[in-house]
Amino acid sequence: MEHKLDEFIRHALDAQPISGTSLIISLYGDALSHRGGEIWLGSLSALLEALGFGDRFVRTSVFRLQKEGWLDVEKMGRRSYYRLTEQGMRQFRHAESKIYLSEQPAWDGKWDLLLLENAEKAERARLKKELGWLGFGQIANNLMAAPTHAQTDVAALLGELNAGEQVIYFRADYPYNRSEQTLRQMVAYCWSLSEVAAYYHEFIVSFRPLMMLLREADGSVLTPKRCFQIKLLLIHFFRRVVLKDPLLPDALLPAQWEGQIARNLCINLYQQVDRAATEYVSELAETTIGALPAPGAGYYRRFGGLARTHTTF
């Protein structure tokens, strides 16, 4: 019998187009990256089938992800197993550092400044795009900036971007508080905060009704299958928004920042379905060595700490 949760899931699927490659990236990042990063193609199809995505959809998507360098394939007889590449795992770790925070990052008031003046035009365009994804804003024609974060190693980042010799890196203080209002206005403009807030607002409107549905649901309704579907869609839509967010510190954000409201909502929902969803993945997923490994310690540090599941398969 269909439940209101099934109606919510169907509505979420129909609300906006879902890219197969993007959805599978969400699944790998959320459910598999801390469990070896590998899965049999048949298991992947089984996980997504109940959401209405057929075998052809899955095969086409993983083939594209393989061509783009996210996945490697290993064939054993007639079976194909897809695992994250080193490049894919590195991208997931960058994304994970933004997606699964419990609050805005701490800030010591310092800024990282990157001068791109010496890079060729095409290279500057590439770097601006890459650095923008990593939270830097363009505050002048060839000057990118970001509030200093303890978890960001800028020198290592420039090495990964093959830009260590082209980009000049400064660290700056901001000791003059008389212009704080002007600074906030500049930050709002350079980081397009109104646009980011609109994306967060849409997420809140879409997923807030789920909180009441979960409160009203009993154990017989919150099946592992439903919990998996909810969790995958939740993190898929949240990931699409949060990766557009530069994750600025509270001191630079508007009051009642919708990003933190959306994050708190996501955390509350995620914690309610995580255990059963993890069990469902364990039941269905196969790898080249058999059962999927248990989640690593890093998995349980998400969102400030998750309850561990003790069920083994």
Side-chain angles (χ1 to χ4, degrees):
M1 180 181 296
E2 187 172 82
H3 187 267
K4 288 181 180 179
L5 285 171
D6 298 315
E7 294 177 12
F8 176 87
I9 291 166
R10 190 172 62 251
H11 177 75
L13 287 166
D14 294 340
Q16 52 186 292
I18 293 180
S19 157
T21 54
S22 182
L23 184 66
I24 289 175
I25 282 175
S26 294
L27 193 156
Y28 267 91
D30 187 67
L32 302 174
S33 64
H34 281 281
R35 307 188 68 176
E38 176 190 273
I39 192 171
W40 171 44
L41 179 61
S43 298
L44 193 58
S45 293
L47 286 168
L48 294 176
E49 182 181 15
L51 286 168
F53 300 107
D55 183 66
R56 184 174 181 180
F57 173 94
V58 175
R59 288 178 181 275
T60 300
S61 299
V62 294
F63 177 74
R64 288 175 180 165
L65 289 170
Q66 183 189 357
K67 296 285 284 184
E68 293 170 7
W70 285 91
L71 300 174
D72 280 333
V73 62
E74 180 177 350
K75 295 187 179 293
M76 297 180 65
R78 300 182 66 181
R79 289 189 166 201
S80 297
Y81 297 83
Y82 286 86
R83 71 168 57 89
L84 288 169
T85 62
E86 287 187 17
Q87 171 194 328
M89 190 64 80
R90 188 166 58 247
Q91 292 277 64
F92 277 124
R93 292 295 173 257
H94 276 313
E96 188 172 52
S97 68
K98 299 183 71 172
I99 295 168
Y100 298 102
L101 289 174
S102 59
E103 57 189 15
Q104 299 298 118
W107 187 43
D108 62 3
K110 297 184 183 296
W111 289 81
D112 291 321
L113 304 178
L114 301 177
L115 184 61
L116 279 55
E117 192 73 35
N118 292 330
E120 295 291 331
K121 183 177 180 180
E123 182 66 1
R124 280 202 305 272
R126 179 187 76 86
L127 288 172
K128 287 177 181 179
K129 182 178 179 180
E130 294 276 2
L131 290 167
W133 186 80
L134 294 166
F136 282 79
Q138 183 175 330
I139 63 172
N141 188 33
N142 292 313
L143 184 64
M144 306 291 287
T148 300
H149 293 161
Q151 65 267 36
T152 303
D153 185 339
V154 176
L157 189 65
L158 291 174
E160 289 180 16
L161 295 175
N162 297 316
E165 296 185 9
Q166 303 172 66
V167 176
I168 301 173
Y169 170 34
F170 302 94
R171 179 160 289 177
D173 288 317
Y174 175 67
Y176 186 67
N177 61 10
R178 293 287 297 278
S179 57
E180 280 188 1
Q181 183 60 33
T182 303
L183 174 63
R184 281 173 176 265
Q185 292 171 354
M186 183 199 75
V187 166
Y189 174 77
C190 292
W191 276 265
S192 303
L193 292 187
S194 60
E195 184 178 332
V196 176
Y199 288 126
Y200 275 128
H201 182 75
E202 184 179 355
F203 173 85
I204 293 166
V205 169
S206 297
F207 280 90
R208 185 176 275 156
L210 182 57
M211 183 63 71
M212 185 59 68
L213 293 177
L214 292 177
R215 285 189 188 134
E216 295 172 349
D218 58 31
S220 64
V221 170
L222 287 177
T223 62
K225 183 178 180 180
R226 282 194 180 109
C227 287
F228 166 76
Q229 293 174 354
I230 290 168
K231 185 184 172 205
L232 176 58
L233 292 173
L234 172 72
I235 212 65
H236 177 67
F237 287 109
F238 185 67
R239 177 181 72 87
R240 286 169 56 168
V241 179
V242 79
L243 292 183
K244 296 181 175 74
D245 186 350
L247 288 182
L248 299 171
D250 286 330
L252 298 172
L253 291 170
Q256 296 298 310
W257 173 237
E258 299 226 46
Q260 192 57 46
I261 298 169
R263 184 175 296 279
N264 290 338
L265 174 62
C266 183
I267 291 171
N268 289 334
L269 295 171
Y270 193 96
Q271 290 175 337
Q272 292 185 62
V273 298
D274 173 63
R275 184 188 293 264
T278 300
E279 291 177 359
Y280 186 71
V281 174
S282 296
E283 289 174 357
L284 266 67
E286 294 182 44
T287 74
T288 52
I289 58 172
L292 199 65
Y299 180 90
Y300 293 104
R301 289 194 288 269
R302 290 175 170 179
F303 293 129
L306 298 172
R308 287 179 178 265
T309 174
H310 301 290
T311 306
T312 57
F313 296 88

